[in-house]
Amino acid sequence: MDLTLAEKTAPREGFLLVEIERFQGPLDLLLHLIRTQDIDVFDIPIARITDQFLQAIRGIGARDLDGAGEFLEMAATLIRIKAQMLLPRTAEDEDEDPRAELVRRLLEYELIREVSQRLSAAEADRARRFSKGFNPPRPRRPVAETPLQSTWEEVFEAALGVEMPEPQRQHRVTPHTISMEDKVVLILDSLRETTRVEFSRLLLGFEEKLHGVMTFLAGLELTRRRLLYLRQTKPFAELWIYRREDPGEDEAVEDEAGEESVPAAQAQPVNRAAEGAPEA
Amino acid sequence: MNAHQIVEAVLFAADAPLTADEIARADESLDEDQVEQAIRYLKAEYDDAERSFQIAEIAEGYQILTRPEFAPYLERFDNVARPSRLSGPALETLAIIAYRQPLGRIEIEYVRGVGAAGVLKTLQDRELIDVVGRGEGLGRPVLYGTTQKFLEHFGLKSLEDLPRPEELPVVLRERTPLGPEEPNADQLSLGGEVSAECGPGDEAPEVVESGVEAHPAPEMEGGERPTE
Amino acid sequence: MNAHQIVEAVLFAADAPLTADEIARADESLDEDQVEQAIRYLKAEYDDAERSFQIAEIAEGYQILTRPEFAPYLERFDNVARPSRLSGPALETLAIIAYRQPLGRIEIEYVRGVGAAGVLKTLQDRELIDVVGRGEGLGRPVLYGTTQKFLEHFGLKSLEDLPRPEELPVVLRERTPLGPEEPNADQLSLGGEVSAECGPGDEAPEVVESGVEAHPAPEMEGGERPTE
């Protein structure tokens, strides 16, 4: 199903000017696409929206690798829904439109957006009123003398919640199948701190042949999106994947940093289901 | 010394909203009712005399604040502290927590579609949210709720001040529902359910469980603010 | 907007005494004389209405303060002890210190991902933590540890009593150096070095004697990160 991605996203068709930086996440972008085109949210033309979504995030990788995973995750969800829509429905499936969960999320997110705008207005109103600027220091009872109610259980609970910060943010992608979008994430991640990576390195730890195919397709797609280029010095030699810098950017700066430290390709994806996240 | 003078002095010296009960601690002779009466008296006095400040009702309490009309004059001063504004992601995250508390990080991330760890830490450090419990699931995830400071920051009297989901003009909802079936009433459908049946003009239908919990009893007694 | 209203608003919101000249900057239409005149007007108004506050002339300028007669009420108000709880960030910081002590602010901030200066101050004021030594690195950073009072309050016999079950996050169970992968030895991995000599149960190394060192001026800004 992932092959459809490359075919269907014809560059000019239904072109929408979208500045990806304006959006706070994939749902925000999706909401924008639906609202601006006056689309019925209960009957989303999923193929069209998917194409537009992919087109909109095309430029994102180079500038904001950090946020890319979230957008790509949504892209994967859209592609999956699109595929499900094409499948003949069995009797058990019939009660749930493949788009239903997405619709719920969109409606809820829209509501949250509206509330956050209200909050923003309330914040602005409050900011126009000032409290007393100065109060002479008064003899206060030392904090240490006021009774403390916190218990050791609470401290211990907090201890259990301490998380070591992740060395780098990991993209969470649901690895249902070997999807091209997963491979796109893998490649972009690998190129986060280095300018080039060997194709073979991206396959380390993956047994199935399909991984190679999908990684290659992902490489081609990213090449098409002008995020990278592929280089092979002679036939059957190692295929190198190079990050394409923005035209104006100084390549030299980043060049040294990476050379040695290609992040282990297997680091991603993290199984999101394991964290109890609902499946899209 | 009149009751309203004492109340005024306490309000004047406080650096955060105080409840009537708290104010009453200033003197044995005062009780909550007297404090509230004194506040009504002071409000009228300030209005009559056209004071540049007024008594605002915030976070279930009272606080003297300048009237908004004077903001342009005050904003010019370095000596006047201005609270910093929250970012879009921070506001959205707060909105989710305000309506759905208590809830965990995973749920918040699902609603926004993006990671929330950084924003949550920031909001916690600004004391706008706090850990209010732990969930049942794997690893007993930490659950967040809004705080007293949250109400103060937005100048809200209570969580009831937030609009109910049905009251919000939500564009998408105007459309016809997707299907006859009950949308999955799982923990993640604050707006979804409400939206399925009710057009913007209608009265809210019988209140849906999760949507109504939009205003859960906030567990924040005035006296028990988090330290710091 | 009257001149005296503007002057009142400025005096109310300013965090320090202001001279007539400074107050006049609130509006182009104001000059020093008008400000002085407005202040005389306000003083008379406050006297007539028997307000609980007044405009005091302090060496550097003018300031609104509560009248001294009301001091007893404010004092009483302050002294009604209210039990309080530690906030989520405070609990988390305390937990990190309890398990990893002695350690410095930089490391705490690294684990928590946000500034810790305010929380550390709170815990110090509560006498739950204290400065117990200084690290080796650049600037010999202050190291924190828990206090006797910490043990007493939480009913622990000793630091060896701290439960260390499997579920405890590795970062608290093991004393691997903290910091980004490339350990910038000077700043970030001091916990590792110090820990070599002192397990949680031991006395902390080189205890700082004077109380001065024990309570460093809280760098309120230093550690805080901008809101997200």
Side-chain angles (χ1 to χ4, degrees):
Chain A
M1 60 171 150
D2 299 300
L3 294 174
T4 56
L5 175 70
E7 298 164 14
K8 291 276 176 72
T9 47
R12 300 291 156 228
E13 186 192 357
F15 182 76
L16 281 165
L17 187 61
V18 174
E19 273 177 80
I20 202 74
E21 292 82 2
R22 276 180 37 216
F23 296 97
Q24 299 195 358
L27 283 169
D28 197 9
L29 170 58
L30 215 47
L31 202 59
H32 172 81
L33 292 175
I34 288 170
R35 273 180 154 181
T36 51
Q37 299 175 96
D38 198 27
I39 286 170
D40 181 355
V41 72
F42 294 105
D43 189 19
I44 299 174
I46 205 79
R48 179 168 131 213
I49 285 292
T50 303
D51 289 349
Q52 289 172 345
F53 187 89
L54 291 173
Q55 198 173 318
I57 67 174
R58 183 160 300 162
I60 201 176
R63 285 186 298 266
D64 179 22
L65 280 173
D66 227 21
E70 288 150 355
F71 283 92
L72 290 177
E73 189 177 336
M74 177 58 76
T77 301
L78 289 172
I79 291 167
R80 192 157 49 241
I81 294 173
K82 190 168 124 186
Q84 278 166 7
M85 297 286 288
L86 296 175
L87 294 174
R89 302 263 203 108
T90 65
E92 306 97 76
D93 287 340
E94 228 165 297
D95 53 350
E96 181 89 322
D97 187 307
R99 299 168 293 183
E101 178 62 18
L102 184 65
V103 171
R104 274 194 290 276
R105 290 185 71 182
L106 280 167
L107 288 172
E108 174 160 27
Y109 183 65
E110 192 190 31
L111 201 63
I112 289 303
R113 275 267 307 271
E114 184 66 31
V115 172
S116 75
Q117 277 157 25
R118 301 290 180 101
L119 284 178
S120 183
E123 183 183 50
D125 281 352
R126 175 62 188 82
R128 284 170 58 75
R129 295 181 290 165
F130 294 82
S131 61
K132 185 96 185 328
F134 173 79
N135 290 305
R138 287 173 277 144
R140 292 208 184 235
R141 174 186 282 259
V143 186
E145 285 173 29
T146 62
L148 179 63
Q149 284 186 330
S150 302
T151 61
W152 168 253
E153 282 65 39
E154 291 175 273
V155 180
F156 187 62
E157 287 265 283
L160 293 179
V162 171
E163 282 174 36
M164 195 58 179
E166 297 168 28
Q168 50 172 290
R169 208 155 130 281
Q170 299 195 339
H171 295 146
R172 287 165 311 173
V173 172
T174 336
H176 276 303
T177 56
I178 306 165
S179 83
M180 198 177 87
E181 287 301 324
D182 288 351
K183 297 305 178 188
V184 165
V185 173
L186 177 66
I187 295 173
L188 292 177
D189 264 358
S190 305
L191 290 175
R192 183 202 295 272
E193 280 168 0
T194 186
T195 50
R196 59 173 198 174
V197 61
E198 304 98 311
F199 183 75
S200 62
R201 188 186 286 264
L202 296 175
L203 302 182
L204 290 177
F206 294 114
E207 301 291 314
E208 277 179 73
K209 253 198 177 128
L210 193 54
H211 280 287
V213 177
M214 283 303 175
T215 308
F216 186 68
L217 284 175
L220 289 181
E221 169 64 12
L222 288 171
T223 309
R224 213 173 57 76
R225 293 192 209 171
R226 307 189 66 77
L227 293 178
L228 49 84
Y229 56 93
L230 308 174
R231 184 175 288 171
Q232 195 172 29
T233 46
K234 55 177 188 273
F236 305 111
E238 177 67 57
L239 179 66
W240 284 91
I241 301 176
Y242 282 79
R243 185 173 67 203
R244 187 188 285 275
E245 303 294 340
D246 276 349
E249 240 169 58
D250 185 3
E251 288 191 35
V253 179
E254 315 221 295
D255 229 16
E256 280 121 349
E259 214 67 59
E260 222 43 65
S261 63
V262 179
Q266 307 82 305
Q268 302 81 21
V270 169
N271 187 343
R272 189 166 182 182
E275 294 181 276
E279 291 193 14
Chain B
M1 227 60 89
N2 293 321
H4 73 260
Q5 286 180 302
I6 298 171
V7 172
E8 182 179 60
V10 172
L11 282 177
F12 207 76
D15 49 15
L18 299 172
T19 62
D21 175 53
E22 288 172 308
I23 297 167
R25 290 193 200 126
D27 194 50
E28 291 89 346
S29 72
L30 285 178
D31 63 28
E32 227 171 296
D33 285 347
Q34 282 170 302
V35 170
E36 292 191 347
Q37 201 182 325
I39 283 170
R40 281 194 297 276
Y41 179 87
L42 289 169
K43 278 182 170 181
E45 266 199 324
Y46 292 175
D47 280 348
D48 289 348
E50 296 185 312
R51 296 263 72 88
S52 58
F53 43 78
Q54 58 193 166
I55 299 178
E57 295 184 26
I58 291 174
E60 313 281 4
Y62 303 94
Q63 184 172 25
I64 302 186
L65 298 176
T66 57
R67 290 182 200 270
E69 309 90 272
F70 293 93
Y73 304 104
L74 300 177
E75 278 158 4
R76 299 181 171 198
F77 282 88
D78 292 338
N79 291 72
V80 171
R82 249 165 300 171
S84 57
R85 305 283 293 271
L86 295 165
S87 68
L91 288 169
E92 286 188 11
T93 305
L94 274 177
I96 295 166
I97 297 172
Y99 276 86
R100 299 266 306 271
Q101 57 191 308
L103 85 170
R105 196 190 75 196
I106 301 285
E107 292 160 276
I108 295 166
E109 290 179 341
Y110 188 66
V111 175
R112 291 195 58 233
V114 293
V119 182
L120 288 172
K121 278 261 163 73
T122 306
L123 292 174
Q124 241 191 323
D125 269 43
R126 289 192 65 168
E127 294 177 23
L128 297 167
I129 61 167
D130 204 352
V131 173
V132 295
R134 279 190 170 251
E136 288 306 313
L138 188 70
R140 307 211 56 224
V142 155
L143 302 180
Y144 298 94
T146 55
T147 61
Q148 178 87 11
K149 277 251 174 79
F150 165 80
L151 297 173
E152 290 176 27
H153 182 82
F154 293 100
L156 302 172
K157 189 171 175 188
S158 74
L159 286 176
E160 305 287 329
D161 269 10
L162 294 173
R164 299 183 149 267
E166 315 86 79
E167 291 165 5
L168 294 168
V170 176
V171 179
L172 295 189
R173 221 196 273 155
E174 289 173 26
R175 303 290 188 162
T176 46
L178 183 61
E181 80 278 357
E182 204 69 38
N184 238 347
D186 56 29
Q187 71 276 35
L188 285 164
S189 54
L190 153 81
E193 306 194 69
V194 181
S195 62
E197 334 250 21
C198 78
D202 302 353
E203 265 308 299
E206 5 91 43
V207 220
V208 204
E209 351 83 61
S210 73
V212 177
E213 295 302 353
H215 301 288
E219 284 184 43
M220 310 175 242
E221 287 108 80
E224 299 207 324
R225 310 215 178 133
T227 325
E228 203 200 333
Chain C
M1 225 66 82
N2 293 321
H4 73 262
Q5 287 180 301
I6 297 172
V7 171
E8 182 183 60
V10 172
L11 285 176
F12 179 85
D15 63 4
L18 296 176
T19 62
D21 178 47
E22 286 168 321
I23 297 169
R25 284 182 215 145
D27 193 48
E28 285 79 6
S29 72
L30 285 178
D31 63 29
E32 220 173 311
D33 285 347
Q34 282 170 302
V35 170
E36 307 256 0
Q37 200 184 326
I39 285 172
R40 280 194 298 278
Y41 179 89
L42 288 168
K43 280 181 167 179
E45 262 199 325
Y46 294 170
D47 281 347
D48 288 348
E50 296 186 308
R51 297 261 69 93
S52 59
F53 46 81
Q54 62 189 3
I55 298 178
E57 290 177 40
I58 298 172
E60 316 91 275
Y62 300 97
Q63 193 161 35
I64 300 191
L65 299 172
T66 41
R67 289 183 202 270
E69 308 91 275
F70 292 91
Y73 300 103
L74 300 180
E75 219 163 278
R76 201 184 128 76
F77 177 82
D78 289 334
N79 280 312
V80 178
R82 282 178 281 170
S84 59
R85 317 183 77 93
L86 295 173
S87 66
L91 288 170
E92 196 186 19
T93 305
L94 187 58
I96 293 167
I97 294 172
Y99 280 99
R100 298 224 31 156
Q101 59 190 305
L103 84 171
R105 199 188 75 195
I106 303 278
E107 295 162 276
I108 297 166
E109 289 177 346
Y110 178 71
V111 175
R112 297 203 51 238
V114 287
V119 182
L120 287 172
K121 169 92 165 57
T122 303
L123 293 172
Q124 257 188 316
D125 285 351
R126 281 241 159 240
E127 297 173 12
L128 295 170
I129 63 165
D130 208 347
V131 172
V132 295
R134 281 187 170 259
E136 291 305 314
L138 189 70
R140 310 211 60 226
V142 153
L143 302 180
Y144 296 93
T146 54
T147 59
Q148 183 64 30
K149 190 161 175 189
F150 165 84
L151 294 176
E152 287 164 16
H153 178 82
F154 294 112
L156 301 165
K157 276 202 293 288
S158 74
L159 288 175
E160 276 139 5
D161 249 22
L162 297 184
R164 290 172 186 274
E166 282 292 293
E167 312 95 86
L168 197 66
V170 180
V171 61
L172 296 187
R173 235 182 319 137
E174 289 167 15
R175 299 224 32 136
T176 44
L178 294 172
E181 312 92 307
E182 242 75 39
N184 181 349
D186 282 345
Q187 298 216 332
L188 290 162
S189 65
L190 60 107
E193 288 153 42
V194 177
S195 68
E197 296 119 53
C198 83
D202 302 340
E203 270 305 305
E206 38 164 347
V207 175
V208 188
E209 354 65 68
S210 82
V212 181
E213 289 284 277
H215 298 285
E219 295 169 49
M220 291 308 288
E221 275 98 41
E224 313 291 25
R225 312 242 167 111
T227 320
E228 218 173 302

